Amino acid sequence: MSASLSIDGVCAEFPAGTTLLSAACSLGIEVPSPCHDERLKPSGACRMCLVEVVGTERLAPACVTPVEEGMEILTASPAAVATRRTLLTLVAAHYPAGAVERFPDKPFHRLLRDHGIAATGNGGTETEPPFFRDGTHPYLDVDMSRCITCHRCVRICDELQGQFVWRVWNRGAGTRIQPGIASTLVGSDCVSCGACADTCPTGAIDDRSFVAQGSPERWTRTVCPYCGTGCEMLVGTRGGRIVQVKPAPASPVSKGHLCVKGRYAFDFVRAPDRATEPMLRANGEWRRVSWPDAIRAVADGFRRIRAESGADSIGVLGSARATNEENYVAQKFARVALGTNNVDCCARVCHAPTAAAMKAMLGTGAATNSFDDIERAAAFLICGCNPTENHPIVGARIKQAVLRGARLIVIDPRETELARYADLHLALRPGTNIPLFNALAHVLVEEEFIDGPAVRERVAEFEEFREFIRDWPPERAADIAGVSAERIRQAARLYAKQKPAMCFHGLGMTEHLQGTEGVMALVNLALLTGNIGRPGGGVNPLRGQNNVQGSAHMGCEPGSLAGYIPLGQGRDLVESVWKAPVPRAPGLNLMQMIDGAKAGSLRALWAIGYDVALTNPDAAVTRAALSKLDFVVVQDLFLNELAREFGHVFLPACSSFEKDGTFMNSERRVQRVRKALEPHGSSRSDWEIICDVARAMGCGAQFSFRSAEEIWNEVRAVWKAGAGISYARLERGGLQWPCPNEEHPGTSLLHAERFPHGRRAPLKRVDFEASAEAVTPEFPFLLSTGRTLYQFNAGTMTMRTPDVVLRPGDTLDVSPRDAARLGLRGDDRVRVRSAHGEAALPVRIDSRVKPGELFATFHTAQVFLNRLTGPGRDAVAMTPEYKVVAVSIEKLLPATQPAAPLPP
């Protein structure tokens, strides 16, 4: 249905339900609307968008009035303008004049100017009750004397972020908005996303960077450099520096929203310790050298070691922080310039089990659905991930869906934020995913909650699976996982009955001894219930870093070429494009490289944007292995722990704000990364550095690229499923693969009709193997590790921003019961010991952690938490067992008193 009408003499047709305000905006007709934000439900509160509907007696608020057939609208009739002026005059009488003078481009200030109305207020210096003011937040500046009570800050916090921080107090002239009962934003439930500042039309809530440095001179649309959500952002620059970041409007991923890291944590780009010059180490000291000297040193070092020990004595690590193009060039360098398949990336230590499990079962090792399916889902199964902290925009969208009525099951040892909203929280013991998922499958099969048609038509090996799963009743799993049999049954029934049901999972599923098999057990549930190939359903990994999906997909994986195509399957096409052979010897993954270094068979390593010294598990063993390497090249923004301790050559790389390219997010969406700044110092993009080394090694013909787009076009030539994703198309927005040609719209839903390997996907029969990391009298606690909202991975970027005010460092989270029993208080420093090492860090008492279990973040080199983690690895993907380690705690006392182990 549609309606034809005229607005200010312009005739047009609009879909039914379109508001007059939206219709006018689409015609380029501006209607004042200070209380309106496209991201929010219309409220009609300010009445400044009143327009005349010819033939009616009253003016109509354009933001809440739908179009009707035959309407004639006058947006600037004498009556409408007079009413607006009256309303503006009333507000301006109490509005601080100084704010208009200082920030003339704020939307409300422009509105006053356009209507010739002067603000005559004094900023509320003598008003009662007083206005809320807060200058203590590291990113937000608040002065509510400039508030016009449009309530946009309240509504966006409620409707977009779901944090419910801002509250309206009192009525009439005494109406005030402030964060609940907290005296500061930092002391409230605020997560510092900045949505309130983004929507505020006056600057009553504003970015401190904008207040201090003024308006940007230039805006560049690009993609966030943090998690794998792939939020789009507008980067505002002034004088060669980033001064403000805003969410990109109408982004299909982030919907005009950003988290604290994406919006504010950009100061690392110009951090004082940013390494911007190439360096060589001589006699233990770093010295600056020219780029030609550095390139020559790298090429000579690799040539020497290859001549002495063969190409397979060298390894290359791509980067989840680098672009698709740069990772493609990195793996091509390994295979063409060096002649080895020893190439990997940090996907190895996070979601390699997901890729292996889903490829084995479904034929594609990536998310089956899209983030837009969040709004289509009737239920969610959130497994081993904490989206509101680690993927905050996805987390906020899930939270909003649940607030609208979607059902929610959370499977996690801790009570995450989403667990507080859940119908069911299954707080299993760390390391017991498989018993729990097998028990859920048992209930589905034995109580006949399976989707019969889907199982008959799309599932293989069901009878064998039925026989296997009989041995996993909830009572058996309950004893192992610590979740009652009744709650397991309730969760299985809820997941089966509420369709479609969408599953998200994270590293709490993959970083285990049976990480790959755990994901297989999860896929079983989706297949049994018909949630594969269904909008609003599927199995969807939340990838940890901005381009970890892309880095492996571009071929930074020893057994696969670009497109995650096995070497044997893709060799002929790739060799025809490269005009060079692809090595035939099997390559080493990251963990095998460490093993090889320890054994002496791997002698050299090029680590691009990846600090394996800090982030690899079992740090003592990792460092001992790295110390045996003869030649280590580190390419990064900062002199990281790998460089400090083991590096021989340091190559300064650009940040993603300083180059062009593409990233690939968790939902298979390729998006453009655009250069917003010139490279800092002498830093260069990763692909330029790699190509220079390749040319120095005699491979100039294969590495003659002149731009990121040229590299991408070669990717399209070797990856048929991405052939339709051109830069020209990406200028109009991201595309999801498969996208085989330029007429193809991209694929938001996988496996709708069939799987890449056929019409049926097999169920997997997975038995449980307990971790060796079990509690003992010596090590009476189970520790899990993970991220927090305000810091990111190894802290390379966030620890160099004001995020440190919001989260200064790592903590050990202890349950109140354990803390009371052990005499621990918040901020007490403790020594945590495992069979593999020890680390010291402060205690945080946290009721979300169960007694007998601990949780710690791993963001700082000062704590170096991976001294504690052990050698356990997933049997298929060799991903480390970061999520389970048995430990003890010792309270750190003054040096004159010996520390005694705390009792279990």
Side-chain angles (χ1 to χ4, degrees), residues 242 266-271 274 637-638 655 657-658 677 680:
I242 300 174
F266 51 76
D267 282 352
F268 69 88
V269 177
R270 291 293 186 267
R274 173 87 183 266
L637 278 67
F638 300 94
S655 73
F657 295 116
E658 300 163 330
L677 293 170
H680 192 28

Side-chain angles (χ1 to χ4, degrees), residues 111-126:
L111 189 58
L112 291 176
R113 187 169 61 248
D114 290 346
H115 286 76
I117 296 171
T120 56
N122 62 5
T125 54
E126 299 176 359

Side-chain angles (χ1 to χ4, degrees), residues 3 52 66 86 269 317 500 510 538 562 676 709 861:
E52 182 176 340
T86 299
V269 177
L317 296 176
T510 61
E709 184 175 7

Side-chain angles (χ1 to χ4, degrees), residues 117 461 719:
I117 296 171
E461 302 180 32
W719 175 35

Side-chain angles (χ1 to χ4, degrees), residues 314-378:
I314 306 170
V316 176
L317 296 176
S319 175
R321 289 186 286 140
T323 63
N324 290 314
E325 293 79 359
E326 290 167 328
N327 280 287
Y328 176 81
V329 169
Q331 60 87 29
K332 184 178 180 181
F333 174 87
R335 291 174 165 123
V336 173
L338 294 177
T340 181
N341 285 312
N342 292 351
V343 61
D344 208 0
C345 65
C346 74
R348 181 63 45 199
V349 300
C350 57
H351 270 292
T354 291
M358 295 180 70
K359 189 172 182 66
M361 295 182 71
L362 305 178
T364 302
T368 62
N369 289 62
S370 303
F371 291 140
D372 273 351
D373 282 306
I374 291 171
E375 285 73 31
R376 302 183 181 105

